[in-house]
Amino acid sequence: MKVKKINDWFEKFGRFEVKHRWAFLICLIVVTVVGSFGLSRLKLDNGEEDWFDDWETTKRNQDHFEDIFGSTDSLLAHIKADDVFDPEVLAMIDQLGDELLQNVPYAGSITSLMELSIPIGTEEGFEVTSPFEDGVPEDAEELAQKKAFILSRESLVNTLVSADATETWLIVNLEQYSENLTEAMVKIAPPAMKIFNDPKYKSDKWEIRPAGMSYTEFEEEAVTMNQLVTRISLGFLVMLVCLIIFIRSLRGIVVPSISTVGALTTTLGFSGWMGIKGNNSMIMITVLLSMALAVGYSVHYINSFKMHFRKTGKRKESIVMGVRDSGWALFFTVITTMAGMLSFLSAGIKPMRWVGGITAATVFAVFAYIIILLPVLYSFGKDKEPEADFVNAEGATKSDLRVEAMGKSILNKKWITVILTVLVSALVIPGIFKIKVNMNYSDMMGERTPYIKRLLEITRSQLGSQYDYEVLIEYSDEDAIKNPQVLKKMDILAQRIGKLSQTKVSNGKPRVSSVTKIIKEMNRTLNEDDPASYIIPDNQDLVTQIMFLYEISGGTDLYDYISNDFRAAYLKVELSGYDGEEIVRNLAEVKKWVAELFPDAENAGVVGEVVQYAQMNGKLVRGSIKSIGTSLIIILALLVLAFTSIRTGFIAMIPNIVPIALIGGIMGYAGVNLDMITAMIMPMILGIAVDDTIHFTNHIKYHFELTGNYRSAIENSYREIGKTMIMTTIILCAMFAIFLTSTMNVLVNIGWLSVVGLGSALIADYTITPVLLYITKPFEKEAGVAGREPVADRRRNS
């Protein structure tokens, strides 16, 4: 495929575009306006159903569990004090619980030191009592007795209250809500936040740390969106400042801005018109890529136009030559970037498919805006008399000539370049195999984010647990759970789960709760409070009697863990952290044990949103890796096709593989996990990095067709677009470097991944790519004539 012939076609297009500039401009405005009206129809959310292929089954299982036991969500307050039994602390707990119960939607009941159901022995047998049912006693001795009594209950110590009485939980048990978590958290979290932030709950005597699924999800979304909007806005300002410094042209500054906003408006607007629902957490990739490409495309065209304008002084002719020299390279980069983003379609997850499709459309829209707006806007103005120095230098500036000199030096030391490339590759490749595919929530977010710091403080505390899941055991027969053998197997399962890596352990006690703790506590009470009787009785009639007595005595906790018909029960497992891959491995063990211990159960398995998201993360990362591999194969095929040379295609792939290999090596050595964010940012970096590779390789091939000499073609390319490649990389790295200022590790990772990836891609483009083209000579045999083609001959040939 002759680049010269393709460039000739783009030259004709440029002349047609300048001739009909008003028509192009009006059409673009009409399309933008129509697209903008569609924005009001656009639906963006982060619905759970979009992330799971088996969502219907997942949702059905979750709904079934909540129909039996109620909501799995709760609002929590971890309370730390010198002594949580201090009268002031207890009074605060009582007041806080009442206020939350009255003002938070879906609040059903309270579990706290002030709201307990504890069995105690009496002359008639036993009764269920709440130690602080009549309030906090004023008598210190009476309060000490109640404290000692509560701390003697094995079912409460290191579960609801720590053994040293410095920590306790206040739990608001939420009722089942009809809407999804995204909609419910907007109702639950704000009133709860208002209460927790009330000055009356601030004191030197205690510290209150709120938590809970809906509460923390609301915080996460608010903080993440704030950080994203702030960083993207600052990145946009940095882009404008860099364009002012490098381009020094109002049109060159305005057009990338208009193109970014216009492309996003148009593609998202038409997505709204077509009723395509998007994902608000994934759109970041589309915004970042559109900004980056708008800069890259603009700088390449503007510098090409300026070079011709400096040496000819003819504005419209220079515009046409700019389209001729950069049009095909820009269009080809669009095709490869679109292909890379469309590889997300292979991931099999709706949000990823959506972001792949919408980003591919936005990439094309950015190109359309640039290729129309820049030539049209630059066509307005006067010609000027060319300067002799620029004419003699073929439009090159001093900085262009310095880049050309650097290129000559690289070619003169070509084998040093090859050796250094091999050495760097040998160093980074082992690091790639050290990468762990995992999402550790704490590592991703980082402690510099205030709410994450609070959650980690909770997690590291004696009682703290950030997440949990449930293990459901359901039989077809009523009263099946009353069978002592079933209850004992539940205890065996609890003991095994307690030894898993992600299960929270408080002072040696695994945080696994079930109905068995109530039965064991009751059995102990009936046996004169003998600690040795904290066991499941062997007799089913006795188990039935214990449950009956507990219920008629006013106990309220029984049906928290067991169904009304005694067909189903569950174990609640609290987690020590959120290590996605570890959780998945733990769950595999739990499922194996459940199948082993309860083979006759009608329904037995693991339930909980944390479980689903842990599994989803693994699928998302694997899908991202698959899309990276797919995009590399597609881009390679396109490069081979475009340059009609397998060797050229593979050589051109090197600067695109280098960033991924270097990033992978650094991540491996530094112990940075490959999570869903780092995995998904890779195709974006690849989409940006491939642009300069295509421009440079295409330029070399074009000049080789004109001169018949590889060295001359490479040196001419260094001179004409070498500076442009440096400028675009500096601007993009400056934009992404803004993310390094974020308090969230995940955004910091985006920053350094992008800077390292784009910087290494530029170095590879400048060094190993031209050197390998020079050594292998993949296009055709040289004509035997070296040197730069005269300006007149170039124009005549074009």
Side-chain angles (χ1 to χ4, degrees), residues 704 707-712 774 777 780-786:
F704 178 79
T707 65
N709 182 269
Y710 279 97
R711 188 178 186 97
S712 176
Y774 184 52
K777 297 178 171 50
E780 296 172 5
K781 290 185 178 179
E782 290 185 300
V785 179

Side-chain angles (χ1 to χ4, degrees), residues 566-626:
F566 300 95
R567 290 177 55 248
Y570 74 94
L571 294 85
K572 180 179 180 179
V573 184
E574 297 178 59
L575 302 177
S576 59
Y578 191 95
D579 186 321
E581 290 296 301
E582 236 356 78
I583 290 173
V584 170
R585 283 192 285 269
N586 283 188
L587 294 179
E589 289 293 310
V590 174
K591 291 174 183 177
K592 182 178 73 175
W593 294 333
V594 168
E596 172 194 331
L597 294 169
F598 306 99
D600 53 342
E602 180 184 50
N603 185 18
V606 182
V607 183
E609 291 194 1
V610 168
V611 175
Q612 302 303 330
Y613 281 105
Q615 293 172 331
M616 177 271 292
N617 172 72
K619 183 177 180 181
L620 186 59
V621 173
R622 288 187 290 272
S624 298
I625 294 172
K626 183 179 179 181

Side-chain angles (χ1 to χ4, degrees), residues 166-186:
T166 60
E167 297 177 25
T168 187
W169 281 111
L170 186 156
I171 305 170
V172 182
N173 304 298
L174 299 176
E175 296 174 349
Q176 186 176 1
Y177 37 78
S178 55
E179 62 266 71
N180 60 35
L181 177 63
T182 305
E183 295 169 339
M185 69 184 188
V186 177

Side-chain angles (χ1 to χ4, degrees), residues 197-224:
N197 292 323
D198 192 313
K200 66 186 175 188
Y201 295 118
K202 308 294 181 184
S203 173
D204 294 335
K205 282 200 167 187
W206 63 73
E207 182 179 358
I208 302 173
R209 298 168 178 154
M213 179 68 79
S214 52
Y215 191 91
T216 55
E217 285 289 326
F218 182 85
E219 285 185 300
E220 179 184 343
E221 186 164 310
V223 170
T224 303

